Amino acid sequence: MPDPVEIAVISAALPATLTFLFQRVERLLSSRGAEPEGDVTAPDALAGSLQLPLQPHEDRLRAGRRELELLRDALANYASGQVPTCTSDQPLLRNLTRLRGALEDIYGQHLTFEGEDRPASGPFVHQKLTTLTGEATGMDADAISGNARVVQDVGTVDAGAKLIGMKGRRIGPR
């Protein structure tokens, strides 16, 4: 269930939010859905910066495909302009919030809009490990810029195991 604050903030930039999220779901459900998407224009209301190209996690896309189809169908008339968008339309706002959550999971990036009290838009990793016996790295990249976040929950780390949050050349902005 979406947080009322999230709904209020999403509704402040409702047309741009709807367009951006709907374009992403249409792309993911197209024949090119699993391919990286580099030509993405983020709305001005997006807080933070996305790591481009948007690269969907194929297993998460497969697992969430049915939900994405349902959300696309629920939002299609709004996106086409057949039904007006209104900030008091609770089903619209709930479906947008659900779509954002599904897209964040598939892309591994937060999609945050101005004024929201949540991590800024950008890549994130949340690893949940019961026991670490070898090596686990949250993020390893040559160029990530903008906001990047790694959360690692590890129950037990065996002797000789190695846990790395982030490593690489230039993760943050220059």
Side-chain angles (χ1 to χ4, degrees):
M1 180 60 100
D3 181 313
V5 173
E6 288 180 19
I7 289 174
V9 173
I10 287 175
S11 65
L14 187 56
T17 301
L18 172 62
T19 299
F20 179 73
L21 296 179
F22 198 78
Q23 288 171 345
R24 303 292 68 75
V25 73
E26 284 200 311
R27 167 65 187 246
L28 287 171
L29 294 174
S30 76
S31 60
R32 301 179 314 155
E35 297 173 12
E37 184 180 8
D39 189 21
V40 175
T41 303
D44 291 339
L46 196 72
S49 58
L50 297 175
Q51 178 67 34
L52 297 178
L54 289 178
Q55 176 65 58
H57 296 278
E58 289 186 49
D59 57 333
R60 293 179 189 164
L61 175 56
R62 266 191 308 278
R65 187 168 189 83
R66 181 70 181 130
E67 179 185 15
L68 290 177
E69 290 169 345
L70 292 171
L71 290 167
R72 180 200 54 203
D73 294 348
L75 294 168
N77 288 337
Y78 294 103
S80 70
Q82 292 177 338
V83 176
T85 58
C86 177
T87 58
S88 62
D89 186 336
Q90 293 301 305
L92 166 63
L93 299 177
R94 276 193 305 274
N95 284 326
L96 278 177
T97 302
R98 287 183 185 122
L99 179 56
R100 173 174 61 183
L103 294 173
E104 287 180 333
D105 182 55
I106 290 166
Y107 288 125
Q109 297 196 49
H110 290 288
L111 302 172
T112 301
F113 298 90
E114 292 294 336
E116 289 184 286
D117 185 19
R118 61 194 308 264
S121 298
F124 71 89
V125 174
H126 189 166
Q127 294 175 313
K128 295 179 183 180
L129 307 168
T130 304
T131 303
L132 178 62
T133 58
E135 183 175 316
T137 301
M139 197 173 292
D140 179 359
D142 287 335
I144 292 175
S145 62
N147 299 296
R149 179 180 169 167
V150 174
V151 175
Q152 295 171 309
D153 296 324
V154 182
T156 305
V157 178
D158 285 351
K162 187 174 183 181
L163 180 64
I164 300 169
M166 288 187 196
K167 72 177 186 177
R169 291 183 271 310
R170 202 178 131 260
I171 289 180
R174 277 193 177 200

